[in-house]
Amino acid sequence: MEARHTLADQTFEQLQTAIIQGRLIPGSKINEQELASQYGISRGPLREALQRLEQRRLIERIPHVGARVIKLTANHLHDLYQVRAELEAMACRIAASSISDQQLIELEQLLDRQQQAFQSEQLTSLQDDIDFHVGVLNACGNQTLINTLCGDLYHQLQIYRHQCISSRRPLQALAQHRQILAALKQRDGELAALLMRRHIEAGAANTAKVLAAKLEDFQDE
Amino acid sequence: MEARHTLADQTFEQLQTAIIQGRLIPGSKINEQELASQYGISRGPLREALQRLEQRRLIERIPHVGARVIKLTANHLHDLYQVRAELEAMACRIAASSISDQQLIELEQLLDRQQQAFQSEQLTSLQDDIDFHVGVLNACGNQTLINTLCGDLYHQLQIYRHQCISSRRPLQALAQHRQILAALKQRDGELAALLMRRHIEAGAANTAKVLAAKLEDFQDE
DNA sequence: CCAATATCGATTGTCGACAATTACAGCTAT
DNA sequence: ATAGCTGTAATTGTCGACAATCGATATTGG
């Protein structure tokens, strides 16, 4: 509950989750007046929120014309995952030589909790996967790398992952996370990077398949 | 002269160059009222410009407190160049297999023009170096990669590069650019990536050295 | 004399109204 | 009937003023 208690920030967060969850459908136009009164605020803070969404590439704005939610395309998805794989592999390579024993323990505990939660509830959350990746990221210590992934790319990715919930394979993902963690433990950066790249590419292929099916259905535009 | 003719955009551009050129000194506080009247506009558009500068990490804002220009630190510089090297090496790897003959020719012509300009005027512009890198980037075709570098990282880097004009070695840089281009011509992605990484790391070391000297002088805080 | 607190000034956040630009509808002319 | 133009309505950009919050100074109690 990270409260930056300003209306613009709150509205930004709400709009972001609305977009990620698909409540604001991709490609639809955004009316400032309408949204503002809908959220019970003025157009000032709303415009600030919209601008931040634009910088995160969740919406597209044209001066004097307006804002639209971004559309989902196979190309965009491909580009996103390609950059993500490269950067997270890099994070692994760095983290392997800089991660602390404490951080290693925390990551292991995180995976244990997730495995336990899965065995009992049998349902997995998208957040679980993200938590592990963010953990590795933080361990690498490169703030620019962290900002680039957490501040920009992850939010765009979440749109696709939420739209394409897919036949996700949480057990497989969990096993891959354990492999990556083992490599980090052994300070084998190259192996960790390789495993991370494969893990992400598997997820990309999976998401892309579901997206293709979805785009097939909506033959519109 | 890419005109997005809205006051907020114009002000954003002007403020950005002001920061990059060091006219707004790093770490200094920003007064909205003062800046607004200085640019002859209202606080509305100015705040939009400030917010975009914040997203590009050229300034830092705290709610109800205000905005400050970012400070230059050796750590930040290191992180920036590390990510940049990785991403541009990646761009080379992709571009090697996707660049068109036309694009190859244009890059060569660009380098020819730069060499000619250098031989006649004996002075080199920072923009020349950027132009080549952007050219390679565009050739790779990954829009996410392009956005990440051009939209975020480059602007932060330019602050350091402008502050640390350094004993730049334009001839050496030009030669390295030619080597990279040659590798691209031969469709040797791995070689191009390697050369690009070395080229960037050389620039990083150079800039870091100058920055260290600068920080030595300003022993403040 | 120092510390904690209250008050004041300054700065930021928010609002409603006005100006500028665009999109659409209807009309005219070919 | 369609292409181009024109006027109007709707939407976005901009402004000035008000409200909320923070930092610094002054004050009071120990």
Side-chain angles (χ1 to χ4, degrees):
Chain A
M1 204 62 72
E2 34 167 330
R4 292 185 68 181
H5 23 38
T6 159
L7 285 184
D9 283 315
Q10 292 173 17
T11 308
F12 166 69
E13 297 281 348
Q14 293 181 30
L15 281 176
Q16 180 171 253
T17 62
I19 292 178
I20 290 177
Q21 294 179 359
R23 291 187 40 185
L24 270 65
I25 58 178
S28 64
K29 192 171 182 311
I30 289 178
N31 186 314
E32 293 185 0
Q33 191 91 317
E34 186 180 340
L35 257 190
S37 50
Q38 185 173 330
Y39 280 82
I41 62 175
S42 163
R43 273 181 56 221
L46 180 81
R47 281 172 63 84
E48 286 204 19
L50 289 182
Q51 198 186 331
R52 292 178 59 173
L53 291 173
E54 180 192 17
Q55 290 299 316
R56 291 205 167 171
R57 321 228 177 238
L58 298 183
I59 68 175
E60 290 175 348
R61 291 178 91 189
I62 304 176
H64 297 277
V65 174
R68 309 189 82 91
V69 183
I70 63 164
K71 290 182 190 170
L72 306 183
T73 71
N75 263 344
H76 184 210
L77 180 66
H78 169 267
D79 287 359
L80 268 175
Y81 266 107
Q82 198 173 26
V83 174
R84 182 197 171 193
E86 192 80 20
L87 289 181
E88 291 212 32
M90 175 189 180
C92 280
R93 219 176 304 126
I94 301 173
S97 60
S98 72
I99 193 171
S100 70
D101 293 338
Q102 177 62 27
Q103 285 173 315
L104 281 172
I105 293 175
E106 287 173 6
L107 277 179
E108 186 138 37
Q109 290 173 342
L110 176 69
L111 292 183
D112 288 342
R113 277 199 308 275
Q114 291 180 2
Q115 190 161 18
Q116 227 169 356
F118 175 74
Q119 285 173 346
S120 66
E121 308 177 25
Q122 203 68 356
L123 65 82
T124 177
S125 120
L126 227 170
Q127 191 61 40
D128 281 354
D129 185 66
I130 297 173
D131 285 343
F132 178 77
H133 287 269
V134 171
V136 175
L137 259 187
N138 285 329
C140 90
N142 186 319
Q143 197 61 44
T144 299
L145 186 50
I146 296 173
N147 288 339
T148 302
L149 280 169
C150 292
D152 296 334
L153 302 187
Y154 276 0
H155 302 286
Q156 297 176 55
L157 276 169
Q158 277 194 292
I159 300 182
Y160 288 95
R161 298 182 69 179
H162 193 277
Q163 293 277 334
C164 309
I165 322 178
S166 85
S167 54
R168 296 208 72 261
R169 304 149 299 182
L171 272 182
Q172 201 167 333
L174 200 58
Q176 290 171 345
H177 286 179
R178 285 209 184 276
Q179 285 184 331
I180 294 169
L181 180 57
L184 289 178
K185 243 185 213 166
Q186 296 166 18
R187 308 286 171 183
D188 189 340
E190 285 307 323
L191 178 59
L194 177 71
L195 292 172
M196 179 64 90
R197 174 172 263 119
R198 280 194 193 161
H199 168 58
I200 291 175
E201 283 171 353
N206 191 13
T207 305
K209 202 162 60 181
V210 180
L211 177 68
K214 255 197 183 309
L215 291 182
E216 199 88 5
D217 292 350
F218 303 110
Q219 277 292 0
D220 45 38
E221 181 191 10
Chain B
M1 204 64 73
E2 36 168 327
R4 292 184 69 181
H5 23 39
T6 158
L7 285 183
D9 284 314
Q10 292 174 16
T11 309
F12 165 70
E13 297 281 347
Q14 293 181 31
L15 280 175
Q16 180 171 255
T17 62
I19 292 178
I20 290 177
Q21 295 178 358
R23 292 188 38 185
L24 269 65
I25 58 179
S28 64
K29 192 171 182 311
I30 290 178
N31 186 312
E32 294 185 359
Q33 191 91 318
E34 186 181 341
L35 258 190
S37 52
Q38 186 173 330
Y39 279 82
I41 63 175
S42 164
R43 273 180 56 218
L46 180 81
R47 281 173 63 85
E48 286 203 20
L50 289 182
Q51 199 185 331
R52 292 178 60 173
L53 291 173
E54 181 191 18
Q55 290 300 316
R56 291 204 167 170
R57 320 221 178 246
L58 298 183
I59 68 174
E60 290 175 349
R61 292 178 89 188
I62 303 175
H64 298 279
V65 174
R68 309 189 81 91
V69 183
I70 63 165
K71 291 181 189 170
L72 306 183
T73 72
N75 263 344
H76 185 207
L77 180 67
H78 169 267
D79 288 358
L80 268 176
Y81 266 107
Q82 197 173 25
V83 173
R84 182 196 171 194
E86 192 79 20
L87 289 181
E88 291 212 32
M90 175 188 179
C92 281
R93 221 177 302 125
I94 301 173
S97 60
S98 72
I99 192 171
S100 69
D101 293 340
Q102 177 61 29
Q103 286 173 314
L104 282 171
I105 292 175
E106 286 173 6
L107 278 178
E108 185 137 38
Q109 289 174 342
L110 176 69
L111 292 184
D112 287 343
R113 277 200 308 275
Q114 291 179 0
Q115 191 160 18
Q116 227 168 357
F118 175 74
Q119 285 174 346
S120 67
E121 308 176 26
Q122 204 67 357
L123 63 85
T124 177
S125 122
L126 227 170
Q127 191 60 40
D128 281 352
D129 184 66
I130 296 173
D131 285 342
F132 177 77
H133 288 268
V134 171
V136 175
L137 259 187
N138 284 330
C140 91
N142 186 318
Q143 198 60 46
T144 299
L145 186 51
I146 296 172
N147 287 339
T148 302
L149 280 169
C150 292
D152 296 334
L153 302 188
Y154 275 1
H155 302 286
Q156 296 176 55
L157 276 169
Q158 277 193 293
I159 300 182
Y160 288 95
R161 299 182 68 179
H162 193 278
Q163 293 278 334
C164 310
I165 323 178
S166 84
S167 54
R168 295 210 75 261
R169 305 149 299 181
L171 272 182
Q172 200 167 334
L174 201 58
Q176 291 172 345
H177 286 178
R178 287 209 181 275
Q179 285 184 331
I180 294 169
L181 181 56
L184 289 177
K185 243 184 212 166
Q186 297 167 17
R187 308 287 171 181
D188 190 341
E190 285 306 324
L191 179 60
L194 176 71
L195 291 172
M196 179 63 90
R197 174 171 263 118
R198 280 195 193 161
H199 168 58
I200 291 175
E201 283 170 354
N206 191 12
T207 306
K209 202 163 60 182
V210 180
L211 178 67
K214 256 199 183 308
L215 291 182
E216 198 89 4
D217 291 351
F218 303 111
Q219 275 293 3
D220 43 40
E221 187 178 8

